[in-house]
Amino acid sequence: MENEIDDGEPLKDQNGSELNDEGNGGSAGGVILKKGPWTSTEDAILVDYVKKHGEGNWNAVQKYSGLSRCGKSCRLRWANHLRPNLKKGAFTAEEERLIAELHAKMGNKWACMAAHLPGRTDNEIKNYWNTRIKRRQRAGLPLYPPEVCLQALQESQIGQSTARKNDRDRGNHGSLQKSSNEIHDAIFDSLKANQGLLPCVPEIPNISADSVLLKGLGSSQYCNFLPSTLPHHKRLRESTTPFLGSNVMNRNGYYPLDHIRDNASNKIAQYFGMHAHLDPCPSKNSLSYGHSLSNGNSSTSKPISEAVKIELPSLQYPETDLGSWGRSPTPPPLVESVDVFIQSPRNSALESDCSSPQNTGLLDDMLNQAKIMSSSKKHYSEKSSNSSTATPGDGADSGAFNMFETEWEDYTDHISSFGATSMLNECPAISATGNSLDEQLPAQIFSGNIAKLESAEHAWTSNSENQSMSMFNISRPDLLLASDWIEQNSRNGQNPAINKDAMATLLGDDLATDYKQMTAGTSASSQVWGLGSCSWNNMPAVCQMADLLYKDSLKMYD
DNA sequence: AACGGTTCCAACCGCCTCATG
DNA sequence: TCATGAGGCGGTTGGAACCGT
C-alpha cells in the first residue's frame, strides 16, 4: 500500500498504514496523514515552515504547509534530523564515555543525556545505548567502563561521607536510615504489588540480597547493572513507577546507579541490622539500622508466601542472553535466580540463605538460618581455632568459609553449570586503558580474571583445600573487580591508602570505618576484629574476603 | 551469488506532564 | 476542579545495510 504525496514521489510506507501516529484514525481535517519515511520534499516543506513560523505548534504544520504529517511526526523529524547544528556520524570516544557516565548517573533519561551532548538527539543516544547493551552483553562485557564505575564509586564515597557528616551535625543518626527505609519499604511494597506480573523474577529476598550487595560489592555490580529489555514496559509504567513516588526507578524497571548507591547501602545495613539483634555485641550498625527490624519484622519480611516479582535490572537479560542459558535444563526461574546469585555478588551467608536448596531464600528463612548460624557460632569458632597456625584473619576466613562450605557446596551443585557462563557474562572489564570503550574478548576477560582468581584463591585457600572456594571465587565478580582495581592501582604506584579507601567503599560506608581500622593493623583493631570478636564473626564473608583481597594486593604492591 | 544473522537507525506508539480554558 | 490539547519522552518496531558463511 503506497501513498502519494504532493511531489508525486511514490511513498514506501513501511507500515502500509494510512493511519497517523496519533492513532486517531489517520486524518486531520479529513486529510490522510502520511506515515513512514520522510521524503526530501517533505523535509523541505517542514524546514520552510519552521523558518517562517519557528518551532512549536507542530499541529499547525499540516494546516499551514499542507504537509500530510501529524504534528508529532513533524516535531520528531525536525528534532532528530532537520534542526541545525545536529551532529551526524558515529559517536566519538569522548561522547561514548560521556554517555556511559551520564547513563550511570541518570539512567534512561535520554533527553537529559542529549542535553549534555550538543548536536546529539535523544533518539540517537538511545539507539546507541541499546545497541551497546546488546553488543556488550553478547560479548560478556560490563555495561559501564571501569572508569565510570570507579568514578561512581568515588562520588558515592564522597557523597555518603558528606551525607553522614551532615547527618551527624544534625545530631540525627537515624534520619538517613529512616528516609532510606522509607524508600526501601516503598520498593518492597511495590514489589508486593507487582507480584505475578512477570514471568521469571526473583523473590523478595533475592531482590533484597541483590540490592544488599550492590553497594557492598560495589562496582562490579555497577558495571554489570543491566537495564531491562523486557517488553512489558507498559505494565511497568503502571506498576513500578508510581510506587516509588519518584522516578528513581527507570521506566524500564531498573535503578540508576545513583539510586543503587543510595539504597544498597541501606539494604546492606538492614541486613546487618537483621544480624544485629542476634549479635550479642551490637555494633553501631545495628544501632543505626535497628529500627526496621526491631520487631524482627522488617518491610522485607513481607509475607513469604507472596512470591513478589519484579523486574530487577541486575537480572534482566535480553532474550538472546536468556538464550545463552538455554543449554541448561534448569527452567527460567531458577536460571534467573542463579544469575541473581552470580551476578549480584553478596556475602556468602546471604547467598547461602538465598540459594541453598533447603532454603526458600525468603527473609524469614534467612532469619531462621541466621539464628541457626548464631547458635552454631561456638561450633564454628572451635572449628576455626583448631588451626593453631592460623592468623586472626586466616582463622576468620577459614571459619567463614567453613561456615558456609556446606551450603556453598550444595549451591555449587546447582550452579556449576552456570558458573563459567556467568563468569563470562559478568566479569568486570579488566581493561584499564582508560577512556577506551573497546570491548574485550570474553576469553580474555575470563583468562585474565582467572589469573586473579588463582591469586586470590591461593590466599583464601592457603589453609584449606576447599575446592568449593574455587567456585566461590568464580562467582564473585565483585572481588575480581576489587582485585583489578587494587592491582591496577598498585601497578600505577597509587598509594595503598587509596586502595584501602576503595575497598572500604566496596564494603559499604558503614563498614568502611571499621574496615579501615581493621586494615590499619592496630592492636586495638585486632581486638575488635579478632577471631574471637563477635562483630567480626558475624560480619558477612564479603568483608572478610575483601580484607584478604586487600592484604593480598598489598603484598603485590610491596 | 545466495542466504541468514546482526546491526543500525528512522519512525511509530502510547503514556505522561503541563498549560490553558 | 476538570477536560482538553500540545508537546515531550522513552520503549519498541521494522526495514535497510552490513557482514560472515
Side-chain angles (χ1 to χ4, degrees):
Chain A
M1 187 183 300
E2 292 183 351
N3 293 336
E4 297 284 338
I5 61 170
D6 50 1
D7 63 351
E9 182 179 348
L11 298 177
K12 296 178 182 178
D13 190 331
Q14 59 188 13
N15 298 329
S17 169
E18 293 181 350
L19 302 180
N20 74 347
D21 62 354
E22 299 285 356
N24 60 4
S27 66
V31 177
I32 301 299
L33 296 180
K34 180 178 169 292
K35 292 172 65 176
W38 281 64
T39 65
S40 56
T41 304
E42 290 177 302
D43 286 344
I45 292 172
L46 182 57
V47 169
D48 188 57
Y49 170 86
V50 173
K51 283 180 180 175
K52 291 178 180 176
H53 301 91
E55 297 183 45
N57 200 12
W58 296 109
N59 284 332
V61 175
Q62 188 265 332
K63 178 182 177 180
Y64 290 112
S65 67
L67 196 58
S68 300
R69 295 279 184 172
C70 71
K72 273 184 148 184
S73 186
C74 293
R75 186 188 66 82
L76 207 63
R77 182 67 183 176
W78 173 260
N80 288 343
H81 301 281
L82 302 179
R83 67 181 166 92
N85 301 325
L86 274 180
K87 192 186 294 182
K88 293 293 182 181
F91 286 96
T92 65
E94 175 61 21
E95 284 175 323
E96 290 179 354
R97 187 200 62 80
L98 186 56
I99 289 171
E101 187 180 322
L102 291 171
H103 191 272
K105 289 179 180 176
M106 55 181 70
N108 293 8
K109 300 293 183 184
W110 310 118
C112 296
M113 294 166 69
H116 291 79
L117 291 160
R120 299 296 187 178
T121 69
D122 54 351
N123 204 37
E124 208 173 359
I125 296 171
K126 179 172 57 183
N127 284 334
Y128 161 76
W129 188 258
N130 288 336
T131 302
R132 170 192 167 86
I133 286 174
K134 287 182 182 178
R135 193 168 61 233
R136 295 184 73 85
Q137 280 187 325
R138 185 170 286 116
L141 292 171
L143 199 51
Y144 299 103
E147 63 270 20
V148 171
C149 297
L150 188 57
Q151 182 178 350
L153 203 61
Q154 289 170 341
E155 290 176 359
S156 169
Q157 201 171 6
I158 295 170
Q160 291 188 2
S161 298
T162 304
R164 287 174 62 86
K165 181 181 184 301
N166 293 339
D167 202 44
R168 277 193 295 269
D169 291 345
R170 289 195 302 269
N172 179 9
H173 290 73
S175 62
L176 275 178
Q177 286 70 37
K178 182 179 186 298
S179 60
S180 301
N181 286 334
E182 285 171 354
I183 297 173
H184 184 260
D185 290 347
I187 291 171
F188 282 91
D189 288 344
S190 149
L191 302 185
K192 179 182 177 181
N194 281 321
Q195 60 179 307
L197 284 179
L198 300 165
C200 304
V201 283
E203 296 169 338
I204 277 184
N206 277 350
I207 295 159
S208 178
D210 195 40
S211 302
V212 158
L213 289 138
L214 296 182
K215 170 61 183 295
L217 303 171
S219 48
S220 77
Q221 180 62 31
Y222 291 166
C223 290
N224 291 288
F225 206 57
L226 303 176
S228 165
T229 54
L230 293 180
H232 305 300
H233 66 289
K234 295 174 187 174
R235 287 182 296 183
L236 274 174
R237 190 189 297 258
E238 294 167 358
S239 58
T240 60
T241 303
F243 81 75
L244 289 166
S246 70
N247 289 326
V248 290
M249 178 183 273
N250 295 335
R251 285 184 177 183
N252 58 5
Y254 82 100
Y255 298 89
L257 290 180
D258 284 351
H259 180 69
I260 298 166
R261 286 197 299 265
D262 292 343
N263 286 281
S265 60
N266 296 305
K267 292 183 179 180
I268 200 171
Q270 285 194 336
Y271 174 67
F272 293 152
M274 177 182 73
H275 280 259
H277 74 278
L278 304 170
D279 189 346
C281 305
S283 66
K284 63 186 178 192
N285 295 324
S286 62
L287 290 173
S288 298
Y289 293 95
H291 114 265
S292 67
L293 294 150
S294 58
N295 59 357
N297 185 22
S298 78
S299 60
T300 59
S301 57
K302 292 278 171 66
I304 305 303
S305 59
E306 299 180 16
V308 176
K309 298 182 174 185
I310 73 159
E311 298 181 21
L312 266 188
S314 61
L315 24 129
Q316 288 169 345
Y317 294 89
E319 293 176 1
T320 53
D321 283 5
L322 283 175
S324 69
W325 296 103
R327 286 183 292 275
S328 166
T330 312
L334 178 56
V335 170
E336 189 156 7
S337 176
V338 167
D339 197 59
V340 170
F341 183 98
I342 296 171
Q343 181 167 2
S344 304
R346 63 198 66 161
N347 70 71
S348 60
L350 191 54
E351 287 172 336
S352 298
D353 287 338
C354 295
S355 57
S356 61
Q358 68 274 28
N359 198 311
T360 65
L362 299 175
L363 187 61
D364 283 356
D365 285 348
M366 293 165 61
L367 286 167
N368 290 333
Q369 295 256 337
K371 290 176 183 176
I372 293 171
M373 289 164 56
S374 178
S375 63
S376 304
K377 187 161 51 181
K378 181 182 177 183
H379 165 70
Y380 294 131
S381 298
E382 292 173 352
K383 193 173 181 180
S384 301
S385 62
N386 285 339
S387 173
S388 59
T389 59
T391 65
D394 291 335
D397 296 330
S398 60
F401 294 154
N402 290 334
M403 280 175 67
F404 309 118
E405 179 177 352
T406 302
E407 287 187 3
W408 179 256
E409 287 177 347
D410 290 341
Y411 185 77
T412 55
D413 289 339
H414 289 264
I415 66 168
S416 57
S417 61
F418 302 104
T421 303
S422 288
M423 190 64 196
L424 286 172
N425 285 337
E426 305 309 327
C427 278
I430 309 173
S431 170
T433 54
N435 290 334
S436 172
L437 299 180
D438 290 345
E439 296 158 359
Q440 231 174 325
L441 290 174
Q444 291 176 292
I445 297 171
F446 190 72
S447 60
N449 275 324
I450 285 295
K452 293 179 173 59
L453 278 175
E454 291 171 350
S455 173
E457 183 180 346
H458 178 72
W460 293 350
T461 59
S462 59
N463 291 331
S464 87
E465 296 177 359
N466 188 348
Q467 287 190 345
S468 67
M469 287 312 302
S470 177
M471 175 58 73
F472 198 95
N473 292 340
I474 286 175
S475 61
R476 295 299 308 274
D478 54 307
L479 297 180
L480 298 177
L481 181 63
S483 65
D484 284 342
W485 283 351
I486 293 169
E487 183 175 333
Q488 290 162 9
N489 290 342
S490 298
R491 285 173 181 167
N492 293 338
Q494 218 174 89
N495 190 327
I498 297 175
N499 295 336
K500 188 186 296 183
D501 288 340
M503 284 304 302
T505 303
L506 281 171
L507 300 178
D509 191 51
D510 292 312
L511 297 175
T513 302
D514 297 331
Y515 174 77
K516 289 175 181 175
Q517 289 175 356
M518 179 186 71
T519 55
T522 63
S523 59
S525 64
S526 297
Q527 280 187 322
V528 172
W529 294 101
L531 176 61
S533 165
C534 298
S535 298
W536 179 247
N537 282 344
N538 283 330
M539 218 24 87
V542 60
C543 306
Q544 303 167 23
M545 288 184 288
D547 177 41
L548 278 178
L549 267 179
Y550 172 68
K551 290 175 180 175
D552 189 42
S553 71
L554 289 184
K555 291 177 184 175
M556 296 165 62
Y557 179 79
D558 293 336

